[in-house]
Amino acid sequence: MRELVRTNDIVLVSAIGALLDGANIHHLVLDQNMSIIEGSLGVLPRRILVHDDDNHQARQILRDAGLAHELRADD
C-alpha cells in the first residue's frame, strides 16, 4: 500500500475518495476513527492509501483534479 494524501480536511478526504471510487481504484482511509481519542477536534490527519499497482493512476487522477499539492512524496 502507498500513502497518497495525509490531511485533517475531512471534505478533502471525501472528495479524493469520490475521485478514486469513480476510477474504480480501491483505497483505504486510515485514522478516521481517531476522533474518539482526540475529542473530535480534527487534529490527527487521515491517511489515504492505495495499492502499489494503482499508485501511478491514482496520483495522475489527483493531479488532473488540481490536487497535486496534496500528494505525499512518492518514495
Side-chain angles (χ1 to χ4, degrees), residues 26-44:
H26 179 72
H27 63 282
L28 296 174
V29 179
L30 301 180
D31 306 323
Q32 62 186 0
N33 296 321
M34 293 301 288
S35 63
I36 295 168
I37 294 171
E38 66 173 330
S40 298
L41 297 175
V43 176
L44 298 174

Side-chain angles (χ1 to χ4, degrees), residues 1-5 15-28 48-72 74:
M1 298 297 283
R2 302 293 286 273
E3 184 177 356
L4 285 181
V5 174
I16 291 171
L19 288 168
L20 296 175
D21 285 343
N24 292 319
I25 296 175
H26 179 72
H27 63 282
L28 296 174
I48 301 173
L49 283 72
V50 296
H51 193 273
D52 290 340
D53 295 340
D54 296 323
N55 184 47
H56 179 72
Q57 182 183 3
R59 287 177 174 281
Q60 189 60 51
I61 288 168
L62 295 186
R63 282 188 207 98
D64 292 347
L67 298 172
H69 62 283
E70 298 289 347
L71 290 168
R72 300 288 287 180
D74 193 17

